[in-house]
Amino acid sequence: MPPTRSALPTPAERAAQLAALEKIVRREIRWAYARAVFLCIVSAAIALGAIAWSVHTTNEANGQIAFWGGLMVGNAGIMWTLFATYARAVKEGWV
């Protein structure tokens, strides 16, 4: 009866496969964390823009809305980004 499966890879071939896979996974991890940093910076910039506008405006009601809105947008954006990145890391098995 002829063999039904191919020969097992040699240890050197298996090591090369694992090294290539590790390179791909490390690149994915780096991009995921770089994306998280970028989104945190964008959230902080939007928040600082709203807070700066609240200091600049002469209408007190709009100033308070912009100030508190900037605080909420900044904090919520950063928290959401970090939680989403952590959830992805757990799902992918990085943590």
Side-chain angles (χ1 to χ4, degrees), residues 41-76:
I41 290 172
V42 167
S43 292
I46 291 170
L48 287 175
I51 291 170
W53 182 74
S54 76
V55 172
H56 176 71
T57 187
T58 56
N59 186 338
E60 186 177 345
N62 287 343
Q64 286 204 357
I65 291 170
F67 179 79
W68 292 108
L71 286 179
M72 287 189 284
V73 166
N75 289 330

Side-chain angles (χ1 to χ4, degrees), residues 1-93:
M1 177 175 251
T4 57
R5 65 179 185 186
S6 60
L8 293 174
T10 64
E13 291 172 342
R14 184 65 180 145
Q17 289 173 349
L18 289 175
L21 180 63
E22 181 182 3
K23 185 177 179 182
I24 292 169
V25 169
R26 283 189 184 271
R27 184 178 297 135
E28 273 186 44
I29 292 170
R30 244 184 266 124
W31 277 110
Y33 291 152
R35 178 181 170 268
V37 168
F38 176 74
L39 290 175
C40 286
I41 290 172
V42 167
S43 292
I46 291 170
L48 287 175
I51 291 170
W53 182 74
S54 76
V55 172
H56 176 71
T57 187
T58 56
N59 186 338
E60 186 177 345
N62 287 343
Q64 286 204 357
I65 291 170
F67 179 79
W68 292 108
L71 286 179
M72 287 189 284
V73 166
N75 289 330
I78 291 170
M79 296 274 290
W80 176 82
T81 299
L82 294 177
F83 284 143
T85 303
Y86 179 74
R88 179 177 177 196
V90 168
K91 185 181 89 173
E92 298 285 336

